Amino acid sequence: MNIDWKMAVYWRLPVRLQEAALSLYAGHLEKIYYGPGFQEFKDWLYEWHDWSSSQVDEWKTQRLRYIVKLAAEKVPFYRETFKKCDWKRVDSDTDLHLLPILEKQQIRHNEKALLVDGMNKRNLWVQKTSGTTGTSLKIYWPVAMVAQWWAIMEVMVRYVAGVKQEMPRAMVGGRPVIPGDTQEPPYWRFNRRWKQLYCSSYHISQMSSPHYIRALEKYGSQWITGYGSAIAALAESAAKEGVDYHPLRAVITSGDTLLRGMRESIEKYFNCKCFDHYGQSEGVAMAMECKNGKMHVIPMLGIFEILRDDGTCCEIGEVGEMVVTGLLNDAMPLIRYRIGDYAAWAREQTCQCGNPNPVIENLEGRVDDYLVTSDGRRIGRLSTAMKRSPTIHSAQIVQDRPGHAYLLVRPGDGYKTADASAVRDDILERIGKFDMDIIEAPEIPKTMQGKTTLVVRLEDRPLMREIYKHIL
């Protein structure tokens, strides 16, 4: 579907017809998301809760063998690359190191060759990544996997947070549901089919926040999902305006980094638990935070590896790069795919919530979140330093040239200038010779997709220069 012409038509419609169009499109998606295979897979997922560790491992092993064999024999890209390795020796996840790592650029340049022989793109579901650091990727799923994905979302994500798909909800995301130059409400559109209030993340301010809150009440939203930074901004803005709101059942955040100050703002204002959820458009990995705050891997979607720079496995508690092998996509298998995020296996794997699935911690954002020094080094893994002070609500590093950057700090409760200096000093200890100026800002700017990122290199994001011109 061509987004340009579709959106051009959408913008020409009055609000009432825009909402009718959204509901009509939701009806179309419903047949795919919750159609054939959804209930069966959902029932199977509930049974999964009673499986022993050995049963889970056996299922993963059988699925991995199937995916690797399929790729080696029926996917042109892997037929070629696997010539250099003994793929037949891959009997379990401990053997995955025998296979090469798949990079994003390889997907971008070998889209057709990564499809199983005989697959017609027209018969597949296409997922596009956000492309915040470059051209978006197209990942093709078998249609059956779409229902499986949403069954996982229902059982392993929503159920954990105590909510359901059929409950009225709000979404605060990056889709342009209203024109960018909108100056007055509504700053949202209502999808009656799903009882979903889709709120624009681009128009949240202290002045607009009362209108957002009244809309949540009007449409009976019981839970909210979306970007943590945007939901936190709404909570803080409404609190400053003195707008009261009844408690929600839950807030589920995803898509950007949820910092401590954001979580506190959300939970305080909406008087509910905020759950962080990790996933990506490629559909190879997912994790969900439980009620005890531990991030549990959802193993039926993919096999996680956490690796050092030299490709060896990290020890427990050691932060490394995540490489994932998808287990559900048998149309475009992604094997040992470098997804671009860091994490560590938690030292404490048992959890009182009863979920036996592995626990990860220290999700440190994109690999692309790095600084460039004057001598050309790339310095990443900076989120730990950014979490140094609890009085800093949120922060961002903006690099304008090699060897120099600005530390944008949004002050929180009890903030002192020394707190920002401590964060800067921690970063400089890691980097060495580097110039960094501190700027206190009332808000941290978002990307064109409505997300917040830890590091913004203006050389790589020329369209964002205008946003920062009045801050730096």
Side-chain angles (χ1 to χ4, degrees):
M1 203 179 299
N2 188 308
I3 298 298
D4 290 336
W5 75 258
K6 186 175 72 171
M7 291 307 297
V9 173
Y10 174 82
W11 293 133
R12 292 175 181 270
L13 298 174
V15 172
R16 178 173 55 85
L17 292 182
Q18 286 180 356
E19 294 188 337
L22 291 175
S23 298
L24 187 65
Y25 187 55
H28 164 70
L29 293 179
E30 194 170 296
K31 295 176 183 177
I32 302 171
Y33 290 4
Y34 308 111
F38 172 79
Q39 189 60 49
E40 292 82 356
F41 201 74
K42 181 180 169 183
D43 293 340
W44 179 77
L45 289 171
Y46 281 124
E47 292 177 6
W48 179 286
H49 289 297
D50 298 324
W51 282 20
S52 65
S53 297
S54 60
Q55 285 177 302
V56 172
D57 289 341
E58 178 62 23
W59 181 86
K60 288 196 302 180
T61 297
Q62 292 297 331
R63 192 67 189 177
L64 174 62
R65 292 171 184 167
Y66 163 71
I67 289 292
V68 171
K69 187 174 187 294
L70 175 73
E73 296 178 350
K74 296 187 177 181
V75 179
F77 175 83
Y78 292 112
R79 272 203 301 264
E80 185 62 31
T81 57
F82 281 10
K83 288 179 180 179
K84 303 174 184 177
C85 63
D86 190 358
W87 64 267
K88 292 182 179 180
R89 289 177 55 198
V90 177
D91 195 54
S92 69
D93 55 2
T94 59
D95 303 317
L96 279 169
H97 67 277
L98 298 172
L99 303 178
I101 288 178
L102 179 66
E103 307 286 355
K104 291 181 183 291
Q105 281 296 100
Q106 290 176 301
I107 297 176
R108 189 168 288 122
H109 297 310
N110 296 277
E111 183 182 294
K112 185 176 180 181
L114 278 161
L115 293 173
V116 170
D117 289 336
M119 284 288 176
N120 187 335
K121 291 181 183 178
R122 295 181 179 179
N123 298 328
L124 301 173
W125 179 266
V126 62
Q127 284 283 115
K128 292 184 179 180
T129 63
S130 61
T132 53
T133 57
T135 307
S136 65
L137 301 177
K138 289 183 180 180
I139 309 297
Y140 292 90
W141 295 8
V143 174
M145 181 183 162
V146 181
Q148 294 172 346
W149 170 272
W150 287 104
I152 291 172
M153 286 294 295
E154 187 70 9
V155 177
M156 310 302 283
V157 177
R158 294 168 180 164
Y159 178 79
V160 172
V163 297
K164 299 179 181 179
Q165 189 271 338
E166 59 263 27
M167 291 179 180
R169 66 190 189 276
M171 170 72 180
V172 184
R175 293 185 183 276
V177 291
I178 65 172
D181 59 357
T182 299
Q183 299 294 321
E184 57 185 32
Y187 303 107
W188 52 82
R189 295 294 183 264
F190 186 59
N191 169 4
R192 286 175 171 76
R193 179 87 182 194
W194 287 350
K195 293 174 284 189
Q196 178 195 48
L197 184 69
Y198 200 105
C199 301
S200 169
S201 63
Y202 305 107
H203 295 77
I204 295 172
S205 67
Q206 194 165 332
M207 289 184 61
S208 67
S209 62
H211 301 291
Y212 279 91
I213 299 303
R214 296 289 84 85
L216 293 174
E217 292 177 339
K218 175 182 177 181
Y219 294 104
S221 300
Q222 297 181 25
W223 58 289
I224 300 178
T225 185
Y227 298 151
S229 57
I231 300 172
L234 175 59
E236 292 154 9
S237 298
K240 288 179 182 177
E241 281 292 294
V243 182
D244 294 327
Y245 188 64
H246 63 272
L248 291 172
R249 288 177 176 266
V251 172
I252 303 175
T253 61
S254 63
D256 62 0
T257 302
L258 181 69
L259 300 178
R260 183 189 304 178
M262 298 176 187
R263 183 193 295 273
E264 291 175 352
S265 296
I266 292 170
E267 293 187 341
K268 182 178 180 181
Y269 182 76
F270 291 112
N271 195 20
C272 68
K273 173 72 176 173
C274 177
F275 297 84
D276 199 18
H277 166 240
Y278 172 76
Q280 69 296 119
S281 300
E282 291 91 331
V284 292
M286 193 184 292
M288 176 61 179
E289 193 176 62
C290 71
K291 62 183 179 182
N292 295 324
K294 291 190 175 182
M295 185 70 79
H296 292 267
V297 168
I298 299 176
M300 68 286 298
L301 199 63
I303 295 174
F304 280 68
E305 298 175 78
I306 300 180
L307 307 178
R308 302 186 182 100
D309 291 341
D310 63 3
T312 57
C313 294
C314 290
E315 298 291 336
I316 297 296
E318 180 183 2
V319 174
E321 191 171 359
M322 288 196 287
V323 171
V324 184
T325 297
L327 295 177
L328 294 185
N329 192 340
D330 55 6
M332 186 180 187
L334 300 182
I335 298 174
R336 302 201 79 203
Y337 171 50
R338 195 192 304 271
I339 54 180
D341 294 323
Y342 285 111
W345 295 114
R347 289 182 172 85
E348 181 56 63
Q349 286 291 320
T350 57
C351 185
Q352 292 182 348
C353 76
N355 187 339
N357 293 326
V359 179
I360 57 175
E361 60 185 10
N362 293 328
L363 271 166
E364 294 195 0
R366 308 301 299 174
V367 173
D368 305 292
D369 289 348
Y370 61 82
L371 294 175
V372 180
T373 63
S374 55
D375 59 1
R377 289 176 294 133
R378 294 185 176 188
I379 309 296
R381 306 188 191 184
L382 298 170
S383 66
T384 302
M386 302 293 268
K387 298 173 184 175
R388 181 184 178 95
S389 174
T391 66
I392 294 178
H393 176 278
S394 50
Q396 185 179 70
I397 303 171
V398 183
Q399 182 160 32
D400 58 340
R401 64 182 185 274
H404 179 269
Y406 297 92
L407 174 61
L408 299 188
V409 173
R410 179 180 172 184
D413 293 337
Y415 170 82
K416 301 185 295 294
T417 302
D419 298 333
S421 297
V423 172
R424 179 188 60 188
D425 293 345
D426 194 348
I427 293 172
L428 296 183
E429 283 179 10
R430 302 160 187 254
I431 297 177
K433 185 179 180 181
F434 197 93
D435 293 325
M436 183 173 289
D437 298 317
I438 297 172
I439 296 179
E440 295 176 8
E443 297 288 343
I444 300 298
K446 296 178 174 60
T447 67
M448 303 299 286
Q449 289 77 22
K451 301 181 181 182
T452 56
T453 58
L454 180 62
V455 177
V456 174
R457 295 186 305 281
L458 294 178
E459 182 179 355
D460 298 335
R461 299 176 187 258
L463 295 179
M464 297 190 70
R465 289 184 181 275
E466 189 68 24
I467 297 174
Y468 289 95
K469 186 169 65 175
H470 305 295
I471 301 176
L472 305 180

